[in-house]
């Protein structure tokens, strides 16, 4: 069986599906079969928009009830937070009636912002013509892209409770229909918001490149297009599969038109030095397969590096929240981010901008920050200003963990790994670290994905049955399986608390949002965007910058011939290029096992 056939057939299994996207796809399938997607597709997305609104309102109502009268809510379990009293049946005593969306999709979680799904669908459809297809229905990944676009619009344009309009009715026509004269100011504000969204979507539609595509209708984490089979980070300039060096090193997105990214930088250079972009103020990223290929380094992604640089330059805090745990050995994290840090240095990023770059290793265990020397430094855990001390107020914070409980979780997980390794005859070995334990392939071996998923689900059952009190994350990493004490929910929550940034202004970008992935937990503490590759991450950041920056250009573009020295200096920097090949050569002398963090080979200078 070919790789594509195996993936396509295997991914029919329930544990590798997303409940909300599958529900949306199922409803859209009816319209497609009836050849009515062109006329009813937008209405279907409007319906889900309404269901999400209802779900959010009911959730907020329940939380308000708990906060206002906690003594009467003692019997409300934490699992009920995503449901609330049915507005049409207000006198049901202590019975919690879930929202209609929760009944349709029991696994649905928290929505931190409104989602303008209809507008996002209409913009996506105008660009790609998906409703004009006759034989291929809208796919899982296309719905994922539409959800991503809706989330970005909501964050950039501060999409508030009164901004959504049913169907195609505008605020002006709605006011005329109902004869509303008292709410004129609100209608004007809503109309302005609608026009802002429309302009933003027009900007997105004119972006010079298409949304990166994946081969399958479902998300795949095998990562056969990146990384190494045995987890060894080679950092060399050799060739592969008989290709020339030029063919191997050239990336498709590096050969595309660069005018868009230059226009973004020119636009942002017109803003005041400390201007803050609209949109998320904290963006968290997964590492492998989000910023760089699985098992590889951040080396040859100049456009992604540029977009990260621009976000830092204009007030956004960037944090890499990764399962890679090398404790506080900063040099090993620096190796994984070598090209990005070299870009920051070449572009002269400095001061507060550098200090807004963090990395959280081991999911939520080791917090480091970038310094003025372009090196990572451990953030103090204890004492005044320590991140553990300042976040102990919430129970899941690492500052509240006992070493005995940590050891108990790792012991149970290691025992499960041992039994799975033996029973499934895997060519693998087990390694244990201070806050994690992993099942990794032997040299030149590959563990079947089915075996990894089986192992992860066994550990889920074991630890949930044992009723462990500490947060944990058991996940399939694509080539390996890991159990970490702590998870990305805790990591993002610590950053929000430590930096004073609310959930509604946070965005997490990652590639593993299925229940066997380690980005899944972040959904409960902030808005998320689901990508499948570094190319998609680049496209998402480009979309954020275009939606946030282009309207500002129209307002702040100086008259011809009135550019000052600072603007000329900024334009000069636009043309300055970082030699990513040189950055790769600098790190080629070191080979590191990305699983253990051990240096395998160090060549002489």
């Amino acid at each position: 069986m070919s790789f594509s056939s195996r993936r396509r057939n295997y991914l029919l299994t329930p544990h590798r599906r997303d409940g909300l996207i599958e529900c949306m796809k199922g409803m859209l399938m009816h319209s497609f079969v009836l050849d009515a997607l062109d006329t009813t597709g937008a209405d279907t997305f409007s319906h889900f928009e309404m269901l999400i609104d209802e779900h959010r309102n009911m959730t907020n109502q329940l939380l308000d009830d708990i906060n206002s009268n906690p003594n009467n809510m003692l019997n409300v379990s934490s699992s009920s937070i995503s449901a609330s009293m049915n507005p049409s049946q207000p006198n049901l005593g202590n019975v919690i009636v879930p929202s209609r969306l929760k009944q349709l999709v029991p696994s649905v979680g928290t929505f931190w912002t409104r989602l303008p799904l209809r507008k996002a669908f209409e913009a996506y459809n105008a660009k790609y013509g998906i409703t004009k297809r006759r034989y291929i229905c809208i796919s899982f990944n296309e719905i994922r892209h539409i959800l991503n676009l809706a989330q970005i619009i909501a964050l950039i344009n501060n999409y508030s409770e009164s901004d959504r309009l049913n169907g195609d009715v505008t605020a002006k026509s709605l006011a005329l229909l109902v004869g509303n004269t008292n709410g004129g100011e609100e209608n004007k504000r809503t109309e302005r918001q609608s026009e802002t969204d429309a302009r933003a979507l027009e900007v997105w539609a004119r972006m010079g490149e298409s949304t990166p595509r994946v081969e399958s209708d479902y998300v795949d984490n095998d990562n056969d297009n990146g990384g190494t089979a045995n987890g060894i980070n080679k950092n060399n300039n050799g060739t592969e599969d008989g290709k020339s060096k030029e063919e191997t090193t050239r990336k498709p997105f590096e050969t595309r038109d660069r005018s868009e990214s230059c226009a973004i930088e020119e636009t942002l250079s017109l803003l005041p030095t400390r201007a803050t972009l609209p949109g998320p103020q904290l963006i968290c990223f997964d590492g492998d397969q989000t910023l760089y290929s699985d098992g590889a380094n951040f080396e040859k992604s100049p456009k992604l590096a540029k977009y990260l640089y621009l976000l830092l330059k204009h007030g956004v805090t960037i944090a890499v929240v990764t399962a890679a745990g090398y404790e506080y050995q900063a040099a090993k994290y620096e190796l994984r981010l070598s090209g990005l840090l070299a870009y920051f240095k070449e572009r002269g990023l400095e001061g507060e901008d550098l200090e807004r770059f963090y990395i959280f290793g081991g999911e939520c265990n080791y917090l480091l920050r970038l310094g003025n020397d372009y090196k990572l430094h451990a953030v103090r855990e204890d004492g005044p200003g320590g991140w553990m001390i300042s976040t102990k107020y919430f129970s899941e914070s690492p500052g509240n963990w006992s070493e005995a409980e940590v050891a108990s979780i790792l012991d149970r997980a290691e025992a499960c790994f041992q039994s799975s390794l033996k029973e499934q005859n895997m060519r693998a070995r087990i390694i244990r670290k201070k806050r994690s334990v992993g099942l990794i392939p032997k040299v030149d071996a590959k563990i079947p994905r089915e075996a990894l998923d089986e192992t992860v689900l066994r550990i889920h059952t074991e630890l949930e049955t044992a009723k462990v009190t500490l947060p944990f994350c058991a996940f399939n990493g694509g080539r390996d399986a890991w159990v970490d004490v702590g998870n990305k929910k805790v990591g993002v929550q610590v950053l929000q608390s430590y930096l004073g940034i609310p959930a509604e202004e946070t965005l997490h970008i990652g590639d593993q949002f299925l229940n066997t992935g380690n980005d899944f937990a972040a959904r409960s503490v902030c808005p998320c965007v689901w990508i499948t590759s570094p190319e998609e991450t680049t496209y998402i950041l480009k979309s954020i910058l275009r939606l946030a920056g282009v309207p500002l250009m129209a307002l702040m573009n100086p008259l011809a011939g009135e550019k000052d020295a600072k603007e000329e200096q900024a334009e000069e920097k636009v043309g300055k290029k970082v030699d990513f090949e040189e950055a790769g050569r600098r790190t080629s002398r070191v080979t590191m096992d990305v699983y253990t963090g051990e240096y395998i080979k160090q060549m002489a200078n």
Side-chain angles (χ1 to χ4, degrees), residues 56-67:
R56 292 186 69 243
N57 290 335
M58 295 172 73
T59 301
N60 293 336
Q61 179 185 338
L62 178 63
L63 291 173
D64 290 342
D65 291 343
I66 293 174
N67 292 331

Side-chain angles (χ1 to χ4, degrees), residues 511-551:
D511 69 308
Q512 293 203 9
F513 285 102
L514 298 174
N515 65 351
T516 54
N518 66 341
D519 294 302
F520 184 79
R523 282 180 165 178
S524 62
V525 291
C526 70
C528 295
V529 164
W530 186 351
I531 55 84
T532 61
S533 67
E535 288 78 14
E536 273 198 38
T537 303
T538 304
Y539 187 81
I540 290 294
L541 296 189
K542 177 181 177 180
S543 299
I544 291 174
L545 288 166
R546 289 296 280 173
L547 294 176
V550 170

Side-chain angles (χ1 to χ4, degrees), residues 260-326:
E260 284 285 342
S261 60
C262 290
I264 292 170
E265 186 159 358
E266 290 169 358
T267 298
L268 297 179
S269 70
L270 302 177
L271 295 172
T273 304
R274 294 299 167 198
T276 300
L277 292 178
Q281 298 306 298
L282 168 63
I283 304 182
C284 301
F285 296 86
D286 180 32
D288 290 78
Q289 207 58 21
T290 299
L291 291 178
Y292 39 81
S293 296
D294 189 27
N297 289 343
F298 192 116
E299 287 181 350
K300 299 173 182 177
S301 301
K303 290 180 72 173
L304 180 53
K306 174 181 281 189
Y307 297 155
L308 292 168
Y309 161 81
L310 291 174
L311 289 168
L312 287 169
K313 191 71 176 174
H314 294 278
V316 180
T317 299
I318 300 296
V320 181
V321 184
T322 175
Y326 310 126

Side-chain angles (χ1 to χ4, degrees), residues 221-233:
N221 290 317
D222 271 2
N223 305 326
D224 281 21
N225 60 345
T228 57
N230 56 9
I232 303 301
N233 191 341

Side-chain angles (χ1 to χ4, degrees), residues 114-134:
R114 292 288 309 280
L115 291 180
L117 291 174
R118 183 186 183 106
K119 292 180 180 179
F121 168 75
E122 289 173 343
Y124 195 89
N125 183 47
K127 189 169 185 177
Y128 298 109
I130 54 180
T131 60
K132 302 300 182 182
R133 298 199 300 243
R134 298 172 57 192

Side-chain angles (χ1 to χ4, degrees), residues 160-184:
S160 62
E161 290 298 323
S162 59
D163 289 334
R164 184 181 63 84
L165 297 173
N166 292 324
D168 294 324
V169 181
T170 64
K172 183 176 180 181
S173 61
L174 182 61
L176 292 173
L177 285 172
V178 300
N180 184 358
T181 57
N182 297 327

Side-chain angles (χ1 to χ4, degrees), residues 265-497:
E265 186 159 358
E266 290 169 358
T267 298
L268 297 179
S269 70
L270 302 177
L271 295 172
T273 304
R274 294 299 167 198
T276 300
L277 292 178
Q281 298 306 298
L282 168 63
I283 304 182
C284 301
F285 296 86
D286 180 32
D288 290 78
Q289 207 58 21
T290 299
L291 291 178
Y292 39 81
S293 296
D294 189 27
N297 289 343
F298 192 116
E299 287 181 350
K300 299 173 182 177
S301 301
K303 290 180 72 173
L304 180 53
K306 174 181 281 189
Y307 297 155
L308 292 168
Y309 161 81
L310 291 174
L311 289 168
L312 287 169
K313 191 71 176 174
H314 294 278
V316 180
T317 299
I318 300 296
V320 181
V321 184
T322 175
Y326 310 126
E327 299 188 27
Y328 284 108
Q329 301 176 65
K332 295 180 179 179
Y333 297 105
E334 291 167 4
L335 179 63
R336 302 297 303 275
L337 297 171
S338 54
L340 180 62
L341 300 183
Y343 188 92
F344 291 164
K345 186 174 183 179
E346 293 288 341
R347 295 306 301 266
L349 194 67
E350 58 185 6
E352 296 178 2
D353 300 331
L354 284 171
E355 293 176 355
R356 283 197 299 273
F357 184 88
Y358 292 84
I359 185 166
F360 223 149
E363 311 275 4
C364 62
N365 287 287
Y366 313 109
L367 183 60
L368 301 94
R369 181 168 56 189
L370 193 59
N372 288 325
D373 57 355
Y374 301 97
K375 294 184 180 296
L376 293 167
H377 302 274
V379 178
R380 176 188 297 179
E381 293 183 346
D382 303 315
W387 69 267
M388 279 194 181
I389 293 296
S390 61
T391 60
K392 288 188 73 172
Y393 69 91
F394 66 89
S395 60
E396 292 186 331
S397 170
N400 298 318
W401 301 348
S402 74
E403 291 302 320
E405 291 177 299
V406 171
S408 175
I409 290 176
L410 296 181
D411 288 343
R412 291 178 181 273
E414 187 173 2
C416 282
F417 278 140
Q418 292 284 4
S419 62
S420 289
L421 188 152
K422 181 178 180 180
E423 293 174 7
Q424 298 186 78
N425 299 317
M426 289 184 280
R427 297 179 60 196
R429 60 191 179 99
I430 298 171
I431 60 173
R432 181 159 172 169
K433 300 182 181 181
K434 184 178 179 180
R435 291 285 174 91
S436 64
V437 59
L439 182 73
I440 65 174
K442 292 182 177 179
V443 178
D444 297 327
K446 183 176 180 179
I447 306 174
R449 180 170 50 188
E450 294 84 350
L452 292 173
D453 277 345
E454 169 69 19
T455 301
V456 167
L457 294 174
R458 285 189 186 189
I459 293 174
H460 280 173
T461 302
E462 170 66 22
L463 296 181
E464 288 167 3
T465 302
K467 296 182 179 180
V468 299
T469 57
L470 299 187
F472 67 90
C473 180
F475 68 96
N476 175 356
R479 304 177 186 279
D480 48 21
W482 288 88
V483 177
D484 292 316
V485 181
N487 54 36
K488 292 189 180 181
K489 171 190 173 183
V490 176
V492 174
Q493 213 169 6
V494 166
L495 288 166
Q496 290 170 340
S497 174

